[in-house]
Amino acid sequence: MNKPLALLLKPNSLKDVVGQSHLIGANKILSNMVKNKKIFSMILYGPPGTGKTSIANAIVNDLKCNARFLNATLNNKQDLSNVIEEAKMMDGIVLIMDEIHRMNKDKQDLLLPCLESGLITLIGMTTSNPYHKINPAIRSRCQIFELKPLTDEDILKGLKKAVKSDELKDIKIDNETLKYISNLSGGDLRFALNLLEVSFYFNKDHKVDIDIVKSINNKPNFFHDKNETGHYDVLSGLQKSIRGSDVDAALHYAARLLIAEDLDSLYRRLSVIAYEDIGLANPSIGPKLDAAINASERVGLPEAKLIMASIVIEMALSPKSNTAYLAIDKAITDIETKNIGEVPNYLKSPYIGYKYPHSYKNSIVSQTYLPENIKDAKYYIPKESSKYEINLKTTKEKIEKFKELIKDEENK
């Protein structure tokens, strides 16, 4: 079997794992666990290539545990049953489960009592946020540890170890090229090792320089999976950056989506931001965004990046107001939690008693439009930091004042 370099160089001990010093550094939780010869069920989560599998394998090697490896996507219920039977014969086993967030209910029901009794100690691995994606019953029986993207220094350290290995003993490469590969990796050591290995076999003399690496891959690697947590993290970063008026951060996250050529997600999230976070503080931003989306669709990538950059900059630097969002949220909450009553009879066909506003001065009448039970509800509270909303507030106050005058006249 033609095993990839990343697999051939996998660490056999926790002390050989690159990075994650907050978990495996001196006097840290996983290091001390191994030192004290104790293991407990855990979930390791983080972006690809950050060492989840390496740490899991290193722990069982250091503790000399009986261990089995399964993948929640690939292995079926029978495979899990076989591991449980082995555990009974061995009086316990460590199960390393990749893609744990994809474990279906049948497998979970089979595994849970084994975790409860201690027959199986689970080391689950996932790129997804376990607090969102993993069954609470499994989660409550595990300690959860987050792995961080590796730093460029961590990646460089891993690459230098690889260069000294027997697998790459004939390689000719300088430090600048190793740094270049590290910078492309986006904190993913597996990506860096794979790129190094392909570059190694580019020429027969195994000489690797920056030009060779560029000819193979010159795009930076970053975690962006349209169906997983990383995708939503990028979208969340984009929205919070625009909401916080940080134009540089907003451009960064927009660039990630553009590099991934994920224009649809960018369009959808910007459309939400335009009305949730900017709203009535700059009501022209919605039509401007629609125009930008139409232009981007017309020209396509790569030119669409210019159009998207322009609108993202304007949105980040626009005044912000969430009054419309708050107003409709309050209205929905009333409907869901209160006895709101019926629509007033004069608003129902055949409109008996209804006062037609156009027949009155200024098209305003002292008429209640809300159901009787919530007739005094106030949902829209203008934001006074927005010029447009100050005008809306003034208009709203004039209408309410005029209604009061009409009501007073009617009561005389």
Side-chain angles (χ1 to χ4, degrees), residues 174-377:
D174 60 29
N175 203 50
E176 288 305 307
T177 305
L178 290 174
K179 284 183 178 179
Y180 182 75
I181 294 174
S182 174
N183 290 337
L184 286 178
S185 70
D188 184 337
L189 182 57
R190 187 189 299 113
F191 174 90
L193 291 172
N194 287 342
L195 183 53
L196 179 65
E197 184 178 21
V198 173
S199 302
F200 175 75
Y201 288 105
F202 189 88
N203 291 320
K204 285 186 178 180
D205 64 358
H206 302 308
K207 183 177 180 180
V208 179
D209 57 28
I210 290 176
D211 287 337
I212 286 173
V213 175
K214 282 182 177 179
S215 71
I216 297 166
N217 189 324
N218 64 356
K219 283 189 176 183
N221 177 56
F222 62 91
F223 183 36
H224 181 85
D225 183 335
K226 283 194 72 171
N227 299 314
E228 298 297 345
T229 308
H231 169 67
Y232 296 104
D233 288 344
V234 171
L235 292 173
S236 178
L238 174 68
Q239 182 159 9
K240 289 175 176 61
S241 299
I242 292 177
R243 181 185 295 158
S245 301
D246 189 326
V247 66
D248 299 307
L251 286 166
H252 167 79
Y253 292 112
R256 286 195 182 203
L257 293 158
L258 289 165
I259 290 170
E261 299 186 0
D262 191 3
L263 284 172
D264 286 344
S265 294
L266 181 57
Y267 297 158
R268 284 195 297 271
R269 185 53 64 104
L270 289 177
S271 297
V272 170
I273 297 166
Y275 292 96
E276 179 180 344
D277 295 305
I278 297 171
L280 294 168
N282 182 3
S284 68
I285 203 68
K288 283 184 178 179
L289 175 60
D290 278 345
I293 290 171
N294 289 333
S296 295
E297 284 293 279
R298 191 156 50 246
V299 302
L301 287 168
E303 288 83 0
K305 68 184 180 184
L306 305 173
I307 301 164
M308 286 293 101
S310 296
I311 195 67
V312 165
I313 290 168
E314 184 169 359
M315 290 175 74
L317 298 178
S318 280
K320 308 297 188 297
S321 173
N322 64 346
T323 52
Y325 166 76
L326 294 175
I328 193 63
D329 210 41
K330 284 165 68 178
I332 289 170
T333 299
D334 271 2
I335 292 165
E336 292 176 340
T337 61
K338 294 181 180 178
N339 177 15
I340 54 175
E342 293 291 319
V343 175
N345 286 331
Y346 48 81
L347 299 183
K348 302 177 186 176
S349 177
Y351 313 115
I352 297 170
Y354 170 63
K355 297 175 181 177
Y356 186 54
H358 296 294
S359 300
Y360 294 81
K361 184 181 178 182
N362 296 326
S363 297
I364 296 173
V365 294
S366 61
Q367 183 168 246
T368 301
Y369 293 92
L370 280 167
E372 178 66 22
N373 293 4
I374 56 168
K375 64 180 182 180
D376 296 321

Side-chain angles (χ1 to χ4, degrees), residues 150-166:
L150 300 178
T151 65
D152 287 350
E153 291 75 20
D154 292 331
I155 301 292
L156 191 59
K157 182 180 176 182
L159 290 172
K160 285 181 176 178
K161 287 175 71 173
V163 166
K164 294 175 183 176
S165 68
D166 290 339

Side-chain angles (χ1 to χ4, degrees), residues 13-216:
S13 174
L14 211 55
K15 61 181 171 53
D16 297 323
V17 175
V18 171
Q20 309 307 334
S21 57
H22 65 295
L23 297 176
I24 60 175
N27 224 17
K28 298 301 181 181
I29 178 62
L30 296 184
S31 301
N32 285 348
M33 181 191 74
V34 168
K35 193 187 301 181
N36 294 322
K37 301 188 184 310
K38 177 66 178 176
I39 189 169
F40 43 79
S41 290
M42 68 185 79
I43 294 169
L44 305 174
Y45 84 100
T50 51
K52 297 183 292 294
T53 306
S54 295
I55 289 175
N57 284 323
I59 288 171
V60 297
N61 283 341
D62 284 338
L63 294 176
K64 298 179 173 54
C65 300
N66 293 315
R68 297 293 179 269
F69 188 99
L70 294 180
N71 184 299
T73 305
L74 301 176
N75 294 104
N76 57 30
K77 187 177 177 181
Q78 185 57 52
D79 295 327
L80 181 57
S81 296
N82 293 341
V83 171
I84 292 171
E85 290 306 311
E86 283 189 82
K88 290 175 181 176
M89 290 186 285
M90 296 177 179
D91 194 29
I93 207 167
V94 176
L95 172 60
I96 301 173
M97 176 74 78
D98 201 6
E99 303 284 343
I100 182 96
H101 65 284
R102 296 189 184 278
M103 182 182 285
N104 63 29
K105 190 176 185 303
D106 283 352
K107 294 176 196 170
Q108 289 174 24
D109 291 343
L110 197 59
L111 180 61
L112 278 171
C114 300
L115 292 180
E116 194 74 50
S117 67
L119 182 64
I120 283 182
T121 301
L122 175 70
I123 303 180
M125 300 176 298
T126 177
T127 56
S128 295
N129 188 327
Y131 297 101
H132 299 160
K133 294 284 189 174
I134 293 179
N135 183 300
I138 296 281
R139 209 171 60 222
S140 70
R141 291 161 173 80
C142 300
Q143 296 298 313
I144 297 176
F145 299 114
E146 181 181 5
L147 277 67
K148 307 292 186 182
L150 300 178
T151 65
D152 287 350
E153 291 75 20
D154 292 331
I155 301 292
L156 191 59
K157 182 180 176 182
L159 290 172
K160 285 181 176 178
K161 287 175 71 173
V163 166
K164 294 175 183 176
S165 68
D166 290 339
E167 283 75 14
L168 301 180
K169 61 183 178 182
D170 297 325
I171 194 169
K172 303 175 186 68
I173 189 169
D174 60 29
N175 203 50
E176 288 305 307
T177 305
L178 290 174
K179 284 183 178 179
Y180 182 75
I181 294 174
S182 174
N183 290 337
L184 286 178
S185 70
D188 184 337
L189 182 57
R190 187 189 299 113
F191 174 90
L193 291 172
N194 287 342
L195 183 53
L196 179 65
E197 184 178 21
V198 173
S199 302
F200 175 75
Y201 288 105
F202 189 88
N203 291 320
K204 285 186 178 180
D205 64 358
H206 302 308
K207 183 177 180 180
V208 179
D209 57 28
I210 290 176
D211 287 337
I212 286 173
V213 175
K214 282 182 177 179
S215 71
I216 297 166

